Every structure is written in structure tokens, then in C-alpha cells.
Amino acid sequence: MQTAPEIGINELRKLIQTIIERFDYDFSNYSAASFKRRIQRFIEIKRLGSVENLVNKIISGEIKKNELLTEISVNVTELFRDPSFWKHLRKVLLEQNLSQNIKIWQVGSSSGEEVFSLMILLNDLNLLNKAEVISTDFNVGIIEKAQSGLIPGKSMELNTSNFVKTGYKGELTNYFKAEGENYSLTKDLLSKIKFKEINLVKDSFNGNVDIILCRNILIYHNPQLQNDILKKLHQSLNMSGLLILGSRETIEWSEVAPKFTMLGPEERIFRKNKV
Amino acid sequence: MKEVDLNRKYKAIVIGGSAGSFQVLCKILNKLPEDFSLPIFICCHRLKHIRNGLIEALSLKSIKEVKEPDHNEPIKRGKIYLAPANYHMNIELGNYISLSTEEMVNNSRPAIDITFETCAYVYKEKLIGILLTGANKDGALGMKKVKDYGGMTIIQDPEESVIDTMPKAAMSVTKIDHVMKVEEIIKFLIELNKVTQL
């Protein structure tokens, strides 16, 4: 819990403006409460003492873009986070009768666990050769980490426990081999992922995607930005394509709400309506 | 009923609790009048991987609907919001709720401190913070924020608490306006509702 002094609205505005000017990234429409905590945390970690010092160090170039983005974005993740979701997704994909090739966009590479889980599921369903998987993030630094295919050994206990709960075939160690203190995703899975830098706030994504996996990304955006991003995600999807959100994210209250149908009450999976 | 300042127009109530608090919440929600008009935000410690169950159990006891909010859900009068499993629940300026998956705070996600602190920032002197029984110190700093912003602080009587660590921790970091037994908290909320409805 931060005991740091409250950050004033004007200070925060100045910081956001500086980040736009220096790093070309716009945090204006991030959820204010968590963004403020991220900034407080960054100031504490770097022992900067105040927002003013942070602003000055961005201007002087002492604080680099990737460093700031990596610390501000939340990269708390695990393989098969929320196992009941992954169990359900397997069922949904089986019901889709996927005879054609499919294009899947996983939004928010972070350190890779989400897209690695997806690759293991596709392998489990014998869909690896039919699927084109693109994983994107706004932070090049974190994409490099995901691209390495490495996950820390200390998180393997939790990852394995999640994997067992999904009920998928085989064992997690079939997909990862020990490499020093880490585990690395086997090359045949890793090499099939296309990593790409995409800034959802600013960029549009050239679509024709069948499935968008975008879990726990919208939670960092305020209603306005969430609405803008949902419109882009809708545009990127093929007709009848699936939009998959985190367990407490929804299209309700957004402009695209009437353009999707929720597949069922269990998980937040929405199908793009035919027009 | 102790002498309590009911004159001010309170806008929201935030309740936190941990070990032993489920039964207390059930008692409170079971007695809360159907026309209770303020929004109530509840943050209690819960198991990370168990998404269902708690909301159903609380709803069974509650006269009013209890809801786990989605991210960016607008806040409505008289609604009861429970922090969902494995998310922190923030109250935002602009009358909506946001969620986050940031690191655990006090070994908890949802963390009581986070819900209390964001509530205090938004509602300032118009907030009532109630901290119940619990076995750790989460919520203590949140209660300090409620007090620092001019809100009212209430703890469950440590003598009545199953585990008194949590209410006592709050007492040690900030001024507590009222120490109440569960029955007194219920009476207080009923009286408060009469005033706020005027």
C-alpha cells in the first residue's frame, strides 16, 4: 500500500503531456485510479521523490520509454490464468467446426504466458497448422521478453496447477524444457507466433481476424478509450468472428454492444453479428 | 443507539472485512431495507480461483441484489457492489467502477485498502467506511484515507469480532469515529437511510 503523497490532478496532467511529447504514448484515457498507483509505484522504485522529478528525468532523457512503459503496464500474468476459462475455450473452439484456416489475434503480449497458453490449446486441438497467431503489445521491450519464450522457473508450480485444472492432454513439461532457472517454450510452438508492436490507443489494426483474445486489457482504460478500442476490435473481426474478453470485461455500455451476441453466461465470449 | 452524526448527506458506504466477516455481512445485508438509497461497496478477502459462490451466498441472505461489477460499470443509487475475485475494485471520479489486476496488496486481491482509498478520494467527507472482523491489517490504511478526506469511520467492536486484528489495526493508524457491534451497525444504517431519503 502506497503511503506516498497524493498526486494532484495538475501534476498528473503535466506528466501525461510530457509522456505524449517525449514518448508518443497517450495515457490520458487510462483508468485514473490504477494509473496513479502505477506512477506512485514507479516514483518509489526509482526513488524519484516526486512527479516533478519524474517529469524532469523524462525530459532530460534519463528515463527511457521502454523502461517507463514496462513498469507502468501491469505484467502480472500466468499460464492458463483462470483455468475454467481455458477449459471453456477449448469447448467453444471444438464447437466451431474449424475446417478453414483461422487467424487469431492475441492482444497484450505481456511476458507471453497468454499466447503460450493459446498455442498449447491449439496443439491440443490439432489446430497448430491451421492457425495464424499474432500477438501484439504496445511495448517493444516486453515483446522481446515474450519472444524469448522463457518463463521463470519459480512460477512453474502455479502454471502446472493451472494446466492440470484445464484438463488438457499431456503434461506441461511436454511444452517447456528447463533452461537454467527458466523454462522455454518448445521452438515448434514459439516459432508459429508472430509478434508485433501495436498501440491500441492510436493505431488501427488491419483485420480479417477470426478470433480476438483480449483478456484483462480493457480494464486499464476508461469508458471513452474502452469504447474506441472496442470499435477497432469490431472492425478487425471477420463476420461471425469471436471477441474474447476477461471475466469482468464487457461490451455493455459501448457503441458496439448491439453488434455482438454473447455466446453464453459462462465466459465473456462475443460473436460479431452478421449485418 | 449511540449519538451519531446523521445530519450530513452521505453519498456512499464502503465495507471491508476478512476472516469472520461473511456472517457479519450476511446479517447486515439481511436487515438492510429494500429502499436503502446509497451505493454500498464491499471488499472482502476471498479465494483467488473461486469466481462463483460468494456472490450467490451473499445474495441469498440479502434483501437487495448484490452485484460483482464489470469494469467501467456505472454506479447506481442503492446498489450493492462486491469486489470480484482476483481483481482490485477502484471507484473512479465520474461515477463508475474500474477493476485492475495489479500486484496483490497486503497479500490480497481484491485489497480492502485499494477500494477504501479510491472511495475516499471520490466521495471525500460524504463517505462512511466500515471495517469488520479480520485477521490481517488490510483496510487500516484505507480507513486512514477515509478519515483524512473527512469521511466517517466505523469499526466492528473488537470484542465482538471473530478476529480483532483488522479493526484494531485501523484504530492504531487513525481516529475511529464509532466502535459498533453488528446490531448497532444495522440500526445505524437503517437510521441513516431515513435521513438520506429526506
Short mmCIF file of all heavy atoms in Angstrom, two decimals, chain A residues 1-6 33 37 40-41 44, chain B residues 88 90 102-108 110-121 137-146 148-149 173:
data_model
loop_
_atom_site.label_atom_id
_atom_site.label_comp_id
_atom_site.label_asym_id
_atom_site.label_seq_id
_atom_site.Cartn_x
_atom_site.Cartn_y
_atom_site.Cartn_z
N MET A 1 0.85 -1.20 0.00
CA MET A 1 0.00 0.00 0.00
C MET A 1 0.88 1.23 0.00
O MET A 1 1.80 1.35 0.79
CB MET A 1 -0.88 -0.02 1.25
CG MET A 1 -1.90 1.09 1.29
SD MET A 1 -3.11 0.93 -0.04
CE MET A 1 -3.92 2.49 0.10
N GLN A 2 0.58 2.14 -0.93
CA GLN A 2 1.38 3.35 -1.02
C GLN A 2 1.03 4.29 0.12
O GLN A 2 -0.12 4.53 0.41
CB GLN A 2 1.12 4.09 -2.34
CG GLN A 2 1.50 3.30 -3.57
CD GLN A 2 0.38 2.41 -4.05
OE1 GLN A 2 -0.62 2.24 -3.37
NE2 GLN A 2 0.54 1.84 -5.21
N THR A 3 2.05 4.79 0.74
CA THR A 3 1.82 5.86 1.70
C THR A 3 2.33 7.16 1.10
O THR A 3 2.41 8.17 1.76
CB THR A 3 2.52 5.57 3.04
OG1 THR A 3 3.82 5.09 2.74
CG2 THR A 3 1.76 4.55 3.84
N ALA A 4 2.71 7.07 -0.19
CA ALA A 4 3.21 8.25 -0.90
C ALA A 4 2.13 9.33 -0.92
O ALA A 4 0.95 9.03 -0.86
CB ALA A 4 3.59 7.86 -2.31
N PRO A 5 2.58 10.60 -0.99
CA PRO A 5 1.59 11.67 -1.02
C PRO A 5 0.71 11.58 -2.26
O PRO A 5 1.14 11.09 -3.30
CB PRO A 5 2.44 12.94 -1.05
CG PRO A 5 3.80 12.51 -1.46
CD PRO A 5 3.95 11.09 -1.05
N GLU A 6 -0.51 12.02 -2.11
CA GLU A 6 -1.48 12.02 -3.20
C GLU A 6 -0.92 12.83 -4.39
O GLU A 6 -0.34 13.88 -4.21
CB GLU A 6 -2.77 12.67 -2.68
CG GLU A 6 -3.93 12.63 -3.64
CD GLU A 6 -4.40 11.22 -3.91
OE1 GLU A 6 -4.80 10.52 -2.96
OE2 GLU A 6 -4.35 10.82 -5.08
N ALA A 33 -7.46 5.60 -11.37
CA ALA A 33 -7.03 5.08 -10.07
C ALA A 33 -5.80 4.20 -10.20
O ALA A 33 -4.81 4.38 -9.50
CB ALA A 33 -8.18 4.31 -9.40
N ARG A 37 -1.65 4.83 -9.22
CA ARG A 37 -0.86 3.92 -8.39
C ARG A 37 0.40 3.46 -9.11
O ARG A 37 1.45 3.29 -8.50
CB ARG A 37 -1.69 2.70 -7.99
CG ARG A 37 -2.62 2.94 -6.82
CD ARG A 37 -3.12 1.63 -6.23
NE ARG A 37 -3.84 0.83 -7.20
CZ ARG A 37 -5.16 0.91 -7.40
NH1 ARG A 37 -5.88 1.76 -6.70
NH2 ARG A 37 -5.74 0.16 -8.31
N GLN A 40 2.87 6.24 -8.82
CA GLN A 40 3.41 6.28 -7.45
C GLN A 40 4.44 5.17 -7.25
O GLN A 40 5.50 5.39 -6.68
CB GLN A 40 2.27 6.12 -6.43
CG GLN A 40 1.53 7.43 -6.17
CD GLN A 40 0.25 7.23 -5.37
OE1 GLN A 40 -0.36 6.17 -5.40
NE2 GLN A 40 -0.16 8.27 -4.67
N ARG A 41 4.11 4.00 -7.77
CA ARG A 41 5.00 2.84 -7.63
C ARG A 41 6.32 3.11 -8.35
O ARG A 41 7.40 2.84 -7.82
CB ARG A 41 4.29 1.61 -8.21
CG ARG A 41 5.06 0.33 -8.17
CD ARG A 41 4.19 -0.81 -8.70
NE ARG A 41 4.97 -2.01 -8.97
CZ ARG A 41 5.60 -2.22 -10.11
NH1 ARG A 41 5.54 -1.33 -11.09
NH2 ARG A 41 6.31 -3.33 -10.30
N GLU A 44 8.48 5.44 -6.49
CA GLU A 44 9.10 4.78 -5.35
C GLU A 44 10.26 3.88 -5.76
O GLU A 44 11.33 3.94 -5.18
CB GLU A 44 8.05 3.95 -4.59
CG GLU A 44 7.44 4.72 -3.44
CD GLU A 44 6.23 4.02 -2.87
OE1 GLU A 44 6.26 2.77 -2.72
OE2 GLU A 44 5.24 4.72 -2.59
N HIS B 88 -8.69 -6.04 -8.16
CA HIS B 88 -8.87 -4.91 -7.25
C HIS B 88 -10.05 -4.09 -7.75
O HIS B 88 -10.23 -3.95 -8.96
CB HIS B 88 -7.63 -4.01 -7.23
CG HIS B 88 -6.42 -4.65 -6.62
ND1 HIS B 88 -6.42 -5.18 -5.35
CD2 HIS B 88 -5.17 -4.87 -7.11
CE1 HIS B 88 -5.22 -5.67 -5.08
NE2 HIS B 88 -4.44 -5.51 -6.13
N ASN B 90 -11.70 -0.41 -7.90
CA ASN B 90 -11.49 1.03 -7.72
C ASN B 90 -12.77 1.79 -7.99
O ASN B 90 -13.52 1.46 -8.90
CB ASN B 90 -10.49 1.57 -8.75
CG ASN B 90 -9.21 0.78 -8.80
OD1 ASN B 90 -8.45 0.78 -7.84
ND2 ASN B 90 -8.98 0.11 -9.92
N GLU B 102 -3.50 -5.47 -10.88
CA GLU B 102 -2.18 -5.15 -10.33
C GLU B 102 -1.78 -6.15 -9.25
O GLU B 102 -2.59 -6.93 -8.77
CB GLU B 102 -2.24 -3.77 -9.66
CG GLU B 102 -2.37 -2.59 -10.59
CD GLU B 102 -2.92 -1.40 -9.81
OE1 GLU B 102 -2.13 -0.74 -9.14
OE2 GLU B 102 -4.13 -1.18 -9.86
N GLU B 103 -0.50 -6.02 -8.85
CA GLU B 103 0.04 -6.88 -7.79
C GLU B 103 -0.89 -6.88 -6.57
O GLU B 103 -1.60 -5.92 -6.32
CB GLU B 103 1.41 -6.34 -7.34
CG GLU B 103 2.51 -6.46 -8.37
CD GLU B 103 2.52 -5.31 -9.39
OE1 GLU B 103 1.60 -4.46 -9.35
OE2 GLU B 103 3.42 -5.27 -10.22
N MET B 104 -0.79 -7.99 -5.81
CA MET B 104 -1.58 -8.06 -4.58
C MET B 104 -1.09 -6.99 -3.61
O MET B 104 0.08 -6.59 -3.63
CB MET B 104 -1.42 -9.44 -3.95
CG MET B 104 -2.07 -10.54 -4.77
SD MET B 104 -2.36 -12.01 -3.78
CE MET B 104 -0.90 -12.93 -4.17
N VAL B 105 -1.99 -6.52 -2.78
CA VAL B 105 -1.66 -5.56 -1.73
C VAL B 105 -2.05 -6.24 -0.42
O VAL B 105 -3.15 -6.80 -0.32
CB VAL B 105 -2.46 -4.26 -1.92
CG1 VAL B 105 -2.27 -3.32 -0.73
CG2 VAL B 105 -2.02 -3.56 -3.21
N ASN B 106 -1.16 -6.24 0.57
CA ASN B 106 -1.39 -6.98 1.82
C ASN B 106 -1.75 -8.44 1.53
O ASN B 106 -2.66 -9.00 2.14
CB ASN B 106 -2.52 -6.36 2.66
CG ASN B 106 -2.32 -4.88 2.91
OD1 ASN B 106 -1.24 -4.47 3.28
ND2 ASN B 106 -3.35 -4.08 2.69
N ASN B 107 -1.06 -9.03 0.55
CA ASN B 107 -1.33 -10.41 0.14
C ASN B 107 -2.74 -10.64 -0.36
O ASN B 107 -3.24 -11.76 -0.33
CB ASN B 107 -1.06 -11.40 1.29
CG ASN B 107 0.42 -11.49 1.58
OD1 ASN B 107 1.23 -11.56 0.65
ND2 ASN B 107 0.77 -11.45 2.85
N SER B 108 -3.41 -9.58 -0.78
CA SER B 108 -4.80 -9.74 -1.18
C SER B 108 -5.09 -9.06 -2.52
O SER B 108 -4.60 -7.98 -2.80
CB SER B 108 -5.73 -9.12 -0.14
OG SER B 108 -5.42 -9.61 1.13
N PRO B 110 -8.94 -9.07 -4.30
CA PRO B 110 -9.05 -7.62 -4.04
C PRO B 110 -8.46 -7.21 -2.69
O PRO B 110 -8.55 -7.96 -1.73
CB PRO B 110 -10.56 -7.39 -4.02
CG PRO B 110 -11.15 -8.69 -3.56
CD PRO B 110 -10.27 -9.74 -4.19
N ALA B 111 -7.90 -6.00 -2.66
CA ALA B 111 -7.39 -5.45 -1.41
C ALA B 111 -8.36 -4.39 -0.89
O ALA B 111 -8.84 -3.55 -1.65
CB ALA B 111 -6.01 -4.84 -1.62
N ILE B 112 -8.63 -4.47 0.41
CA ILE B 112 -9.56 -3.53 1.04
C ILE B 112 -8.99 -2.11 0.98
O ILE B 112 -9.71 -1.15 0.71
CB ILE B 112 -9.83 -3.96 2.50
CG1 ILE B 112 -10.46 -5.37 2.51
CG2 ILE B 112 -10.76 -2.97 3.20
CD1 ILE B 112 -10.51 -6.01 3.88
N ASP B 113 -7.68 -1.99 1.23
CA ASP B 113 -7.06 -0.65 1.19
C ASP B 113 -7.35 0.06 -0.14
O ASP B 113 -7.61 1.25 -0.16
CB ASP B 113 -5.54 -0.77 1.38
CG ASP B 113 -5.15 -0.82 2.85
OD1 ASP B 113 -5.97 -0.41 3.69
OD2 ASP B 113 -4.02 -1.25 3.15
N ILE B 114 -7.28 -0.66 -1.24
CA ILE B 114 -7.47 -0.04 -2.56
C ILE B 114 -8.90 0.45 -2.74
O ILE B 114 -9.14 1.58 -3.15
CB ILE B 114 -7.05 -1.03 -3.68
CG1 ILE B 114 -5.53 -1.08 -3.73
CG2 ILE B 114 -7.65 -0.61 -5.02
CD1 ILE B 114 -4.95 -1.86 -4.87
N THR B 115 -9.87 -0.38 -2.40
CA THR B 115 -11.27 0.05 -2.54
C THR B 115 -11.55 1.25 -1.62
O THR B 115 -12.17 2.23 -2.04
CB THR B 115 -12.23 -1.11 -2.22
OG1 THR B 115 -11.95 -2.18 -3.15
CG2 THR B 115 -13.68 -0.69 -2.40
N PHE B 116 -11.06 1.18 -0.39
CA PHE B 116 -11.30 2.27 0.56
C PHE B 116 -10.63 3.57 0.10
O PHE B 116 -11.22 4.64 0.14
CB PHE B 116 -10.79 1.89 1.97
CG PHE B 116 -11.80 1.14 2.79
CD1 PHE B 116 -12.37 -0.02 2.32
CD2 PHE B 116 -12.19 1.60 4.05
CE1 PHE B 116 -13.31 -0.73 3.08
CE2 PHE B 116 -13.12 0.91 4.82
CZ PHE B 116 -13.68 -0.25 4.33
N GLU B 117 -9.39 3.44 -0.35
CA GLU B 117 -8.64 4.64 -0.73
C GLU B 117 -9.29 5.34 -1.93
O GLU B 117 -9.44 6.57 -1.94
CB GLU B 117 -7.19 4.27 -1.05
CG GLU B 117 -6.40 5.49 -1.45
CD GLU B 117 -4.93 5.21 -1.76
OE1 GLU B 117 -4.50 4.05 -1.58
OE2 GLU B 117 -4.24 6.14 -2.19
N THR B 118 -9.68 4.56 -2.93
CA THR B 118 -10.27 5.18 -4.13
C THR B 118 -11.66 5.75 -3.82
O THR B 118 -12.04 6.78 -4.33
CB THR B 118 -10.34 4.18 -5.30
OG1 THR B 118 -11.04 3.01 -4.90
CG2 THR B 118 -8.96 3.80 -5.78
N CYS B 119 -12.38 5.06 -2.93
CA CYS B 119 -13.68 5.57 -2.48
C CYS B 119 -13.52 6.90 -1.76
O CYS B 119 -14.27 7.85 -1.97
CB CYS B 119 -14.28 4.59 -1.47
SG CYS B 119 -15.69 3.70 -2.06
N ALA B 120 -12.51 6.96 -0.88
CA ALA B 120 -12.27 8.17 -0.08
C ALA B 120 -11.94 9.34 -0.99
O ALA B 120 -12.43 10.46 -0.80
CB ALA B 120 -11.13 7.92 0.91
N TYR B 121 -11.12 9.08 -2.00
CA TYR B 121 -10.72 10.13 -2.94
C TYR B 121 -11.92 10.69 -3.69
O TYR B 121 -12.02 11.89 -3.92
CB TYR B 121 -9.68 9.56 -3.92
CG TYR B 121 -9.18 10.55 -4.93
CD1 TYR B 121 -8.37 11.62 -4.54
CD2 TYR B 121 -9.51 10.43 -6.28
CE1 TYR B 121 -7.90 12.55 -5.46
CE2 TYR B 121 -9.05 11.34 -7.22
CZ TYR B 121 -8.25 12.41 -6.79
OH TYR B 121 -7.79 13.31 -7.71
N LYS B 137 -3.97 -6.80 8.39
CA LYS B 137 -4.05 -5.34 8.57
C LYS B 137 -4.60 -4.61 7.34
O LYS B 137 -4.59 -3.38 7.30
CB LYS B 137 -2.67 -4.80 8.93
CG LYS B 137 -2.25 -5.26 10.30
CD LYS B 137 -0.89 -4.76 10.68
CE LYS B 137 -0.60 -5.19 12.12
NZ LYS B 137 0.79 -4.95 12.50
N ASP B 138 -5.03 -5.36 6.33
CA ASP B 138 -5.59 -4.71 5.15
C ASP B 138 -6.80 -3.88 5.59
O ASP B 138 -7.57 -4.30 6.45
CB ASP B 138 -6.03 -5.79 4.14
CG ASP B 138 -6.35 -5.20 2.78
OD1 ASP B 138 -5.93 -4.07 2.50
OD2 ASP B 138 -7.03 -5.89 1.99
N GLY B 139 -6.94 -2.71 5.02
CA GLY B 139 -8.09 -1.87 5.37
C GLY B 139 -7.73 -0.76 6.36
O GLY B 139 -8.40 0.26 6.42
N ALA B 140 -6.65 -0.97 7.13
CA ALA B 140 -6.29 0.04 8.14
C ALA B 140 -5.90 1.36 7.46
O ALA B 140 -6.42 2.42 7.81
CB ALA B 140 -5.15 -0.49 9.01
N LEU B 141 -4.99 1.27 6.48
CA LEU B 141 -4.58 2.50 5.78
C LEU B 141 -5.73 3.07 4.96
O LEU B 141 -5.83 4.29 4.80
CB LEU B 141 -3.36 2.22 4.89
CG LEU B 141 -2.06 2.03 5.66
CD1 LEU B 141 -0.94 1.55 4.73
CD2 LEU B 141 -1.64 3.32 6.36
N GLY B 142 -6.58 2.20 4.47
CA GLY B 142 -7.77 2.66 3.74
C GLY B 142 -8.68 3.48 4.64
O GLY B 142 -9.21 4.51 4.25
N MET B 143 -8.83 3.02 5.88
CA MET B 143 -9.66 3.75 6.85
C MET B 143 -9.02 5.10 7.16
O MET B 143 -9.69 6.11 7.35
CB MET B 143 -9.82 2.93 8.13
CG MET B 143 -10.77 1.78 8.00
SD MET B 143 -12.51 2.32 7.97
CE MET B 143 -12.90 2.19 9.72
N LYS B 144 -7.69 5.11 7.21
CA LYS B 144 -6.99 6.38 7.45
C LYS B 144 -7.32 7.37 6.33
O LYS B 144 -7.57 8.56 6.58
CB LYS B 144 -5.48 6.13 7.52
CG LYS B 144 -4.68 7.39 7.83
CD LYS B 144 -3.22 7.04 8.05
CE LYS B 144 -2.31 8.23 8.30
NZ LYS B 144 -2.79 9.55 8.06
N LYS B 145 -7.36 6.87 5.10
CA LYS B 145 -7.70 7.75 3.96
C LYS B 145 -9.12 8.28 4.11
O LYS B 145 -9.39 9.45 3.83
CB LYS B 145 -7.57 6.99 2.64
CG LYS B 145 -6.16 6.60 2.29
CD LYS B 145 -5.39 7.76 1.67
CE LYS B 145 -3.98 7.31 1.32
NZ LYS B 145 -3.18 8.35 0.71
N VAL B 146 -10.04 7.40 4.50
CA VAL B 146 -11.44 7.83 4.69
C VAL B 146 -11.46 9.00 5.68
O VAL B 146 -12.07 10.04 5.43
CB VAL B 146 -12.32 6.68 5.20
CG1 VAL B 146 -13.72 7.18 5.54
CG2 VAL B 146 -12.40 5.55 4.15
N ASP B 148 -8.87 10.93 6.65
CA ASP B 148 -8.11 12.09 6.16
C ASP B 148 -8.92 12.95 5.19
O ASP B 148 -8.74 14.16 5.12
CB ASP B 148 -6.81 11.65 5.48
CG ASP B 148 -5.81 11.08 6.49
OD1 ASP B 148 -6.06 11.20 7.70
OD2 ASP B 148 -4.80 10.49 6.04
N TYR B 149 -9.79 12.31 4.44
CA TYR B 149 -10.63 13.06 3.49
C TYR B 149 -11.92 13.57 4.14
O TYR B 149 -12.78 14.11 3.47
CB TYR B 149 -10.97 12.20 2.27
CG TYR B 149 -9.88 12.18 1.22
CD1 TYR B 149 -9.11 11.05 1.00
CD2 TYR B 149 -9.62 13.31 0.43
CE1 TYR B 149 -8.11 11.02 0.04
CE2 TYR B 149 -8.63 13.30 -0.53
CZ TYR B 149 -7.88 12.16 -0.72
OH TYR B 149 -6.89 12.15 -1.67
N VAL B 173 -3.97 3.33 13.46
CA VAL B 173 -3.42 4.29 12.48
C VAL B 173 -4.29 5.52 12.28
O VAL B 173 -3.82 6.51 11.70
CB VAL B 173 -3.15 3.65 11.09
CG1 VAL B 173 -2.08 2.57 11.18
CG2 VAL B 173 -4.42 3.10 10.47
#
